[in-house]
């Protein structure tokens, strides 16, 4: 790693094993059945879900983190990174960027958030290139079809 590289936002690609996530899920469900879920248990389960490669897990993890973010003002800062990560993994780059920016406003030197910001920017650019390629391809096909119709009309 050169001096200009940021530490990689490893959470973007590293997920928990099935057994590790299962431990968190069982604890969450146990507390849910007792009608008292601690904020830490809810956060731990949300964290594990957001790290999952499965979209439905990510969606549920983000939902739980949003609940904590709204209900527990003293826990908002620790939710920001994982909310940004969850939205990033789901391909919602606008919300990912928004939550990551909130974290960077509070902690400008947070290297994980800086790294995640770079990943988000690269994904937005890649999505833009794909969009331009699709539009360009559609325009080329449209031009060919139009040229074919004009040729037929002339005959």
């Amino acid at each position: 790693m050169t001096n200009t590289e940021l530490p990689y936002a490893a959470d973007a690609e590293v997920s928990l094993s099935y057994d590790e996530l299962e431990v968190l899920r069982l604890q969450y469900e146990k507390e849910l059945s007792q009608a008292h879920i601690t904020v830490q248990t809810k956060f731990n389960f949300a964290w594990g879900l957001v790290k999952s490669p499965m979209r439905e897990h990510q969606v549920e993890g983000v939902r739980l983190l949003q609940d904590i973010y709204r209900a527990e003002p003293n826990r908002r800062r620790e939710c920001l990174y994982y909310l940004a990560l969850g939205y990033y993994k789901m391909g919602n780059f606008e919300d990912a960027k928004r939550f990551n920016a909130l974290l960077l406003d509070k902690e400008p030197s947070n290297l994980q958030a800086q790294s995640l910001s770079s990943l988000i920017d690269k994904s937005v650019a890649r999505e833009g290139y794909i969009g331009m390629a699709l539009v360009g391809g559609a325009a080329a096909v449209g031009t060919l079809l139009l040229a074919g119709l004009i040729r037929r009309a002339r005959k």
Side-chain angles (χ1 to χ4, degrees):
M1 179 159 90
T2 65
N3 291 341
T4 59
E5 289 182 36
L6 296 172
Y8 185 65
D11 291 314
E13 294 180 3
V14 177
S15 44
L16 300 181
S17 71
Y18 174 82
D19 291 338
E20 291 168 326
L21 186 56
E22 188 67 7
V23 167
L24 298 174
R25 185 184 66 75
L26 290 173
Q27 180 63 33
Y28 179 81
E29 288 178 355
K30 176 183 172 192
E31 291 183 17
L32 182 63
S33 72
Q34 297 169 348
H36 178 72
I37 302 170
T38 65
V39 175
Q40 191 61 50
T41 294
K42 191 175 199 176
F43 179 85
N44 291 347
F45 186 44
W47 167 80
L49 290 169
V50 162
K51 291 172 60 84
S52 171
M54 298 176 62
R55 183 174 174 81
E56 60 268 17
H57 286 173
Q58 297 161 3
V59 169
E60 179 65 9
V62 164
R63 187 190 65 75
L64 292 172
L65 287 167
Q66 287 172 331
D67 289 348
I68 296 168
Y69 187 84
R70 284 188 209 106
E72 303 290 333
N74 59 332
R75 302 292 295 261
R76 285 183 178 159
R77 193 216 49 82
E78 65 187 306
C79 290
L80 289 173
Y81 175 75
Y82 290 103
L83 281 165
L85 179 66
Y87 282 121
Y88 166 77
K89 290 182 76 171
M90 292 187 299
N92 183 340
F93 303 127
E94 185 177 319
D95 284 335
K97 199 171 198 123
R98 184 169 52 95
F99 280 101
N100 204 52
L102 288 171
L103 178 56
L104 285 169
D105 285 347
K106 294 176 186 294
E107 297 179 13
S109 61
N110 184 314
L111 296 179
Q112 272 190 309
Q114 290 174 15
S115 178
L116 183 56
S117 182
S118 176
L119 290 174
I120 294 166
D121 290 343
K122 286 177 185 173
S123 294
V124 167
R126 183 174 54 246
E127 197 172 74
Y129 294 141
I130 291 169
M132 287 188 304
L134 291 173
V135 169
V141 168
T143 301
L144 291 173
L145 289 173
L146 186 58
L149 290 172
I150 291 171
R151 258 191 243 144
R152 282 188 182 167
R154 289 184 179 171
K155 287 183 182 181

